[in-house]
Amino acid sequence: PCLPRLPWQTDPEHNLWYFREDPSLSSFRNYWRAIFKNSSRDRRGEFFFYMHRQMVTRYNVEHLTHNIAPVVPFSPEFWRQPIPLGYDAKLKAEIGYDYQARPDNTTLVDLEGEDPLTISTLEDWFKEIQNAVKNMAIVTADGDTIDLKAVEGKDEGVSVLGDVVESFGSVNRELYGSLHNNLHMIIAWVLGPSQDDPTKLGVMGTTAKSIRDPMFFRMHQFIDDIFSEYKASLPAYEEDELSFPGVEVLESTVITDGKKNEMHTFTEEDWEVELYGVEVDGKPR
């Protein structure tokens, strides 16, 4: 089913279509994911946290410019309630079928099939991650603990936590699960919980296109809040960790077109983008 009206007639969130539907944004995230599939990359979990925080923060800035309230995190209290805003990408997947549209007020359901997943399981994983943040320690699969802490001003715990939350290279997937990845999938399969019909998969199930869905930002605001709670638990920086003895900043300026401290913003109007696979009103574009 498709949304019955044009997007901007249904919810203020759709006024930000220009940001979410930007092909370069989807391309960037897909490229980032391809690069960081390598679990041996140094501080990979921290990159997961940092990159998505930048995306969510920028999207919240776009909210403010349109006089829209900040993104509401898709936290557990909403997982069993209808999702007010639907989404129809009007895109075909790489193998030729349409991505499943999600109507307004759709409610998550447990997934079945070869890779079953229940909402209760997601809730359990989240509670274990909350306990890890509260205790500032993560339990490994062999029963050891890794302290979540900062050493000499360097956050040594955020990368381990990032790998656990995503999860990718998690030190204990059995206990902490795969909260981020499977939250994506339970949203994507909301109209195809048996997971045996690829035409029922929504864009939240694909790295290349999930950022188009407003739910991407609600979900990642929730994920980012986990890191915010952890960061708030770290001790404050000491003076010697931030200072540069003997260095004094005398002046800082920005020069634009020969003018001091002016910043010019603009939008290029003479451009076009070819979007293969897009259909509007049933017609390919």
Side-chain angles (χ1 to χ4, degrees), residues 214-235:
M215 276 301 294
F216 175 92
F217 292 95
R218 287 197 62 192
M219 196 204 91
H220 272 280
Q221 183 65 72
F222 158 65
I223 295 295
D224 191 67
D225 287 348
I226 296 173
F227 291 101
S228 293
E229 183 178 353
Y230 161 68
K231 287 286 190 178
S233 301
L234 293 174

Side-chain angles (χ1 to χ4, degrees), residues 11-278:
D11 190 281
E13 190 75 24
H14 287 300
N15 288 316
L16 278 72
W17 67 270
Y18 65 89
F19 185 85
R20 294 191 313 273
E21 305 284 348
D22 186 339
S24 60
L25 185 64
S26 292
S27 178
F28 162 73
R29 184 170 183 272
N30 194 40
Y31 182 60
W32 182 94
R33 179 66 64 185
I35 292 175
F36 283 90
K37 277 185 176 180
N38 185 352
S39 60
S40 65
R41 283 189 174 272
D42 186 40
R43 303 184 72 82
R44 186 203 168 280
E46 183 174 18
F47 278 105
F48 167 78
F49 147 69
Y50 181 77
M51 189 277 285
H52 288 94
R53 167 161 286 190
Q54 297 306 304
M55 282 190 163
V56 171
T57 300
R58 173 57 189 272
Y59 194 63
N60 272 314
V61 170
E62 297 298 320
H63 264 232
L64 293 174
T65 62
H66 288 272
N67 198 29
I68 303 174
V71 174
V72 177
F74 191 55
S75 43
E77 64 266 28
F78 296 108
W79 293 353
R80 299 177 186 275
Q81 298 181 18
I83 300 171
L85 184 60
Y87 179 69
D88 184 358
K90 299 184 184 298
L91 289 174
K92 287 186 179 296
E94 289 79 358
I95 61 174
Y97 51 79
D98 292 342
Y99 282 106
Q100 173 67 59
R102 185 185 67 251
D104 293 346
N105 298 310
T106 304
T107 304
L108 297 183
V109 294
D110 294 341
L111 300 186
E112 304 164 353
E114 295 183 1
D115 192 17
L117 174 68
T118 67
I119 298 173
S120 296
T121 298
L122 289 171
E123 292 168 336
D124 290 341
W125 290 344
F126 177 54
K127 289 177 182 177
E128 293 297 341
I129 292 172
Q130 279 186 310
N131 288 335
V133 172
K134 180 180 178 181
N135 298 325
M136 296 299 283
I138 285 178
V139 180
T140 67
D142 58 11
D144 294 332
T145 59
I146 299 175
D147 292 335
L148 300 178
K149 61 183 180 180
V151 179
E152 297 182 350
K154 182 180 179 181
D155 187 349
E156 297 289 356
V158 65
S159 196
V160 179
L161 181 61
D163 286 337
V164 163
V165 170
E166 188 179 6
S167 112
F168 194 92
S170 172
V171 296
N172 194 342
R173 187 158 181 163
E174 183 68 26
L175 179 62
Y176 301 111
S178 181
L179 182 62
H180 161 270
N181 293 344
N182 279 284
L183 197 49
H184 261 282
M185 298 313 298
I186 203 169
I187 296 171
W189 286 114
V190 66
L191 295 181
S194 61
Q195 305 182 77
D196 58 358
D197 182 356
T199 67
K200 297 297 183 181
L201 181 70
V203 293
M204 282 291 283
T206 170
T207 303
K209 301 177 180 70
S210 59
I211 202 168
R212 296 170 178 268
D213 190 336
M215 276 301 294
F216 175 92
F217 292 95
R218 287 197 62 192
M219 196 204 91
H220 272 280
Q221 183 65 72
F222 158 65
I223 295 295
D224 191 67
D225 287 348
I226 296 173
F227 291 101
S228 293
E229 183 178 353
Y230 161 68
K231 287 286 190 178
S233 301
L234 293 174
Y237 286 109
E238 299 291 339
E239 177 67 25
D240 60 356
E241 293 174 336
L242 299 176
S243 63
F244 294 87
V247 176
E248 181 181 0
V249 177
L250 301 178
E251 184 181 20
S252 177
T253 61
V254 175
I255 306 296
T256 304
D257 295 334
K259 297 181 180 180
K260 188 176 180 179
N261 291 338
E262 285 194 12
M263 183 179 69
H264 299 173
T265 61
F266 64 95
T267 300
E268 293 181 351
E269 297 182 356
D270 186 18
W271 60 276
E272 63 181 26
V273 177
E274 293 184 358
L275 300 176
Y276 298 103
V278 176

